[in-house]
Amino acid sequence: MVEDEKKTTTDHENSEPSVVEAEVDLQRQEADFALKLVDTLVSFNDQQISSYEIPNRFFTTEELNCFCLFANSLPINALPAIYPENGFLLFRGVPVPKSVNLTSSGLEEIEYILRSSNSIELKSLHLSDLAPDLLNSYQMATQIYNDRLSKIAATYMANVKNAKTQVIEVSAAVVCGFVIILTLARLI
């Protein structure tokens, strides 16, 4: 009887790690797919891949649907240019980071390719149509993308602030120099 209890306990202990391992493996797959969603969109925004390559990065129609919903959920032109991107006079420009700036034309291009390559009807896509693992990946991808966007926006704003400071410092130096020259000219 004691041996039967030990055997039952051992069998139960052995089955629990496999359930836990399966859960960990599923979470890893969801996280990997979430990163794949983000990396695909960032690569497209950076023009590292074309829209024609996007369908080749996913294996199933459900994954393409998930990517389409993900792309449609993101803000268009999340980081607008607030400072000249090209240098002017003595000053440097601050380029807008393109990796998180999905344009409306880029989104239309993605939708067109997905529609034409896999007959995806975009108007009938809903988050509720996604499998639970894809829905979890979608949510993780949205969080990853938003975190990346906030970090890039903070860096962009710091660069703009530094560039504006440079303009103010140089302008103040030029005005002071001009005042000194005028003062010296008046004294002579």
Side-chain angles (χ1 to χ4, degrees):
M1 179 119 163
V2 173
E3 288 178 11
D4 288 338
E5 287 179 20
K6 286 182 182 179
K7 186 176 182 181
T8 305
T9 305
T10 305
D11 290 343
H12 183 66
E13 289 173 357
N14 288 339
S15 67
E16 281 184 34
S18 64
V19 171
V20 171
E21 289 173 2
E23 183 66 29
V24 168
D25 188 44
L26 179 63
Q27 289 175 350
R28 186 177 305 119
Q29 289 174 356
E30 290 171 355
D32 289 345
F33 185 68
L35 288 172
K36 187 179 194 179
L37 290 172
V38 172
D39 289 340
T40 300
L41 192 63
V42 167
S43 296
F44 174 74
N45 287 342
D46 280 340
Q47 297 177 346
Q48 295 172 351
I49 64 169
S50 70
S51 59
Y52 296 103
E53 295 174 62
I54 291 174
N56 297 333
R57 292 185 142 212
F58 301 100
F59 300 112
T60 65
T61 304
E62 290 79 22
E63 289 179 351
L64 283 170
N65 290 345
C66 186
F67 178 74
C68 186
L69 288 169
F70 172 67
N72 280 318
S73 71
L74 300 175
I76 303 291
N77 292 330
L79 291 176
I82 58 173
Y83 192 81
E85 292 190 73
N86 300 323
F88 56 98
L89 298 176
L90 304 172
F91 310 111
R92 62 184 171 89
V94 180
V96 176
K98 305 245 183 287
S99 63
V100 292
N101 257 4
L102 179 64
T103 62
S104 57
S105 62
L107 183 59
E108 289 171 5
E109 187 178 342
I110 290 171
E111 289 175 350
Y112 175 76
I113 290 300
L114 293 178
R115 210 175 322 125
S116 64
S117 67
N118 292 309
S119 303
I120 295 174
E121 185 55 45
L122 304 175
K123 291 182 173 66
S124 65
L125 284 179
H126 300 287
L127 283 176
S128 60
D129 297 336
L130 295 177
D133 59 329
L134 291 177
L135 185 59
N136 289 341
S137 294
Y138 167 86
Q139 291 171 337
M140 280 189 256
T142 303
Q143 184 64 40
I144 292 167
Y145 190 86
N146 288 336
D147 290 346
R148 182 180 278 186
L149 174 64
S150 64
K151 288 177 185 175
I152 290 173
T155 302
Y156 175 67
M157 295 306 286
N159 290 340
V160 167
K161 184 178 178 182
N162 289 339
K164 286 181 178 180
T165 302
Q166 178 195 21
V167 169
I168 291 170
E169 289 172 354
V170 170
S171 299
V174 167
V175 168
C176 288
F178 207 56
V179 168
I180 291 171
I181 291 173
L182 287 175
T183 306
L184 290 175
R186 193 171 249 178
L187 290 176
I188 300 180

